[in-house]
Amino acid sequence: MSETTNIKKIADQQRRSFWLKQLHQWHWISSAACLIAMLLFAATGITLNHSAQIEAHPQVSNKQAQLPKDLLAQLTVGQHKDKETLPAPLRTWLDRQLSVSVGEQPGEWSGDELYVALPRPGGDAWLRVDLGNGKVEYEKTDRGWISYFNDLHKGRNAGAAWGWFIDIFAAACLVFCLTGLFLLHLHAGNRPMTWPLVGFGLVVPLVLAIVFIH
């Protein structure tokens, strides 16, 4: 064997070793980063697929209170635009009296009523303020922890921070899958069932989608 061939062989081995090291490193980092979330999304994938068979028992709670006259007067003075954020004094009072956090959620203002929809993962809630007599009513519906995690899976009413988390988690999953694919390619020579199994994973959902989904 010529010296040129030996040099080329050594270079190929070094290049293969480099990529193996890099791919293994990114593969385990991405797998560690998305492991817990992947378990959550896999489990909720099953519960979502069988949501019709999983019976929910919503629990409804209701709170009522009377708005102080001075605070009511602040709400009835001037014109409020629809979808306007609630005034800070009202948000503070609601938090203290009813333990209700409204945040920056906009309200629906009408001539005699203020209504705030407070959707949340796994349930729903709303707040109503009668601008005539100051009566406050709050109602919350809780559909249970399965519904809560199902809504997290879909990103439903979970807020911007959770939306960013899902995007970052999805990117980590892509890194995990792509590095796994390249590792399969590097090891496929010693594992003859590699590509048949990969093909099986492609063909089965494709056939199911074409034949059974209409």
Side-chain angles (χ1 to χ4, degrees):
M1 187 178 294
S2 65
E3 183 177 351
T4 303
T5 303
N6 285 332
I7 293 174
K8 185 177 182 301
K9 185 176 180 181
I10 292 173
D12 289 342
Q13 290 175 344
Q14 290 177 339
R15 185 162 51 250
R16 175 184 171 84
S17 177
F18 170 80
W19 283 112
L20 272 174
K21 181 179 179 180
Q22 292 296 318
L23 289 170
H24 275 294
Q25 183 172 359
W26 282 102
H27 192 65
W28 80 257
I29 290 174
S30 59
S31 66
C34 64
L35 173 63
I36 303 302
M38 181 67 78
L39 291 173
L40 168 65
F41 277 78
T44 50
I46 296 174
T47 56
L48 281 168
N49 196 41
H50 296 276
S51 58
Q53 289 80 37
I54 300 174
E55 187 176 357
H57 301 281
Q59 295 182 351
V60 180
S61 59
N62 187 281
K63 297 180 180 180
Q64 295 182 353
Q66 179 66 43
L67 205 63
K69 291 182 179 180
D70 58 338
L71 191 51
L72 178 60
Q74 294 180 31
L75 299 180
T76 55
V77 172
Q79 295 291 326
H80 293 280
K81 297 180 180 178
D82 196 24
K83 303 300 181 182
E84 181 180 327
T85 303
L86 274 62
L90 175 59
R91 283 181 282 164
T92 301
W93 185 86
L94 290 170
D95 189 35
R96 290 177 179 174
Q97 297 297 319
L98 299 177
S99 299
V100 175
S101 178
V102 177
E104 298 297 322
Q105 193 73 11
E108 298 177 18
W109 298 80
S110 63
D112 57 356
E113 181 182 271
L114 165 62
Y115 178 85
V116 186
L118 299 169
R120 50 189 292 275
D124 202 359
W126 55 266
L127 175 78
R128 177 182 174 274
V129 180
D130 190 318
L131 298 179
N133 56 28
K135 289 184 178 180
V136 180
E137 185 178 6
Y138 170 75
E139 183 176 284
K140 182 177 73 171
T141 302
D142 188 346
R143 298 187 181 91
W145 66 269
I146 293 180
S147 179
Y148 176 81
F149 285 113
N150 284 348
D151 284 347
L152 290 184
H153 182 113
K154 296 181 288 186
R156 177 179 177 271
N157 301 323
W162 184 259
W164 277 105
F165 168 75
I166 291 179
D167 289 341
I168 295 171
F169 163 70
C173 287
L174 286 173
V175 173
F176 174 69
C177 292
L178 291 174
T179 53
L181 180 62
F182 282 112
L183 285 171
L184 286 175
H185 171 70
L186 292 175
H187 291 295
N190 299 322
R191 299 169 183 173
M193 286 300 296
T194 296
W195 298 122
L197 288 173
V198 172
F200 180 79
L202 170 65
V203 170
V204 169
L206 186 62
V207 169
L208 290 175
I210 295 174
V211 177
F212 296 103
I213 301 177
H214 300 286

